[in-house]
């Protein structure tokens, strides 16, 4: 019986992964909830469910799903990033920044992390510190259009309009359909 239950759970997990790949989040959600309910100890089940909930706009549900995951002595960087994304969406920018600083202590050589730090700094009205974070992201990945867009936003907050236009144009050159870069 246990082997049958385990196989059924793994099949639901794989189907949920397929739905996620196809961006059918609403279809993946009940499958992720069921596998997590059956085996809440699996970190991958919990993280994937929280990410799906966050992407569907179920912010408080995502926060509850992660629960006290960060009380461990050594939280994983992915968990810190996910919790920071939730805090960003909850408009708790200072708390999110603290989580990102913990993630940086684990490994700061990740452009996506630096972009998140930059976005938090922008929301906290710290444009110079945001410029530093987006600059690091660009050093790590010069072809990251979102880092150039973030840098443009930081320049605008600093009232450095020519630099903002240059960064926005660079972002457009990398990803032409990035509407916010055209706006900037």
């Amino acid at each position: 019986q246990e082997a049958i239950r385990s196989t059924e759970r793994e099949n639901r997990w794989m189907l949920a992964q397929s739905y996620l790949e196809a961006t059918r989040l609403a279809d993946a959600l009940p499958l992720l909830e069921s596998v997590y309910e059956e085996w809440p100890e699996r970190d991958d089940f919990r993280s994937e469910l929280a990410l799906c909930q966050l992407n569907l706009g179920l912010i408080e549900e995502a926060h509850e799903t992660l629960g006290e995951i960060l009380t461990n002595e050594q939280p994983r960087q992915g968990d810190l990033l996910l919790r920071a994304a939730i805090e960003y969406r909850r408009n708790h920018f200072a708390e999110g920044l603290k989580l990102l600083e913990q993630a940086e202590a684990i490994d700061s050589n990740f452009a996506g992390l630096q972009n998140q730090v930059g976005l938090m700094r922008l929301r906290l009205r710290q444009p110079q510190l945001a410029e530093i974070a987006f600059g690091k992201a660009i050093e790590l990945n010069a072809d990251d259009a979102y880092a150039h867009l973030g840098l443009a936003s930081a320049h605008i907050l600093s009232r450095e309009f020519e630099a903002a236009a240059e960064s926005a144009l660079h972002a457009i050159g990398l990803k032409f359909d990035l509407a916010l870069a055209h706006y900037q």
Side-chain angles (χ1 to χ4, degrees):
Q1 290 293 5
E2 180 56 35
I4 291 171
R5 278 195 303 274
S6 176
T7 300
E8 289 173 346
R9 182 180 55 243
E10 291 300 319
N11 286 343
R12 281 181 278 135
W13 170 247
M14 289 298 154
L15 181 57
Q17 295 300 307
S18 295
Y19 283 146
L20 291 172
E21 285 286 321
T23 63
R24 293 175 54 184
L25 303 178
D27 293 325
L29 183 61
L31 296 169
L32 292 170
E33 289 172 336
S34 71
V35 297
Y36 174 66
E37 187 176 300
E38 285 181 34
W39 201 349
E41 299 83 27
R42 285 262 310 252
D43 289 339
D44 53 344
F45 289 176
R46 177 179 38 241
S47 296
E48 204 66 60
L49 173 58
L51 183 59
C52 183
Q53 289 168 327
L54 180 64
N55 289 330
L56 285 169
L58 305 170
I59 299 162
E60 291 307 316
E61 290 85 344
H63 185 263
E64 287 178 28
T65 297
L66 285 184
E68 299 300 317
I69 193 171
L70 299 179
T71 58
N72 299 338
E73 288 181 25
Q74 292 293 333
R76 297 179 319 173
Q77 188 175 38
D79 294 333
L80 292 165
L81 294 173
L82 182 55
R83 178 55 66 91
I86 291 169
E87 295 304 327
Y88 182 87
R89 296 280 296 275
R90 294 174 77 202
N91 295 324
H92 298 163
F93 307 118
E95 292 88 351
L97 184 59
K98 288 177 188 173
L99 294 166
L100 292 174
E101 288 169 348
Q102 290 177 19
E104 276 187 303
I106 295 171
D107 180 11
S108 64
N109 292 322
F110 172 48
L113 167 62
Q114 295 303 325
N115 280 338
Q116 276 192 278
V117 170
L119 289 172
M120 289 287 188
R121 296 280 187 196
L122 284 176
R123 298 295 257 168
L124 291 168
R125 297 285 193 210
Q126 301 170 340
Q128 290 79 18
L129 295 174
E131 286 179 32
I132 293 169
F134 289 123
K136 287 180 185 176
I138 292 169
E139 285 176 20
L140 293 167
N141 180 5
D143 294 333
D144 185 345
Y146 295 99
H148 290 281
L149 175 60
L151 188 56
S153 298
H155 286 311
I156 288 172
L157 276 180
S158 297
R159 306 188 62 74
E160 300 168 352
F161 301 118
E162 287 186 31
E166 186 178 314
S167 293
L169 286 170
H170 200 100
I172 292 167
L174 293 169
K175 186 168 174 46
F176 187 76
D177 64 344
L178 195 55
L180 190 54
H182 288 275
Y183 176 76
Q184 298 282 13

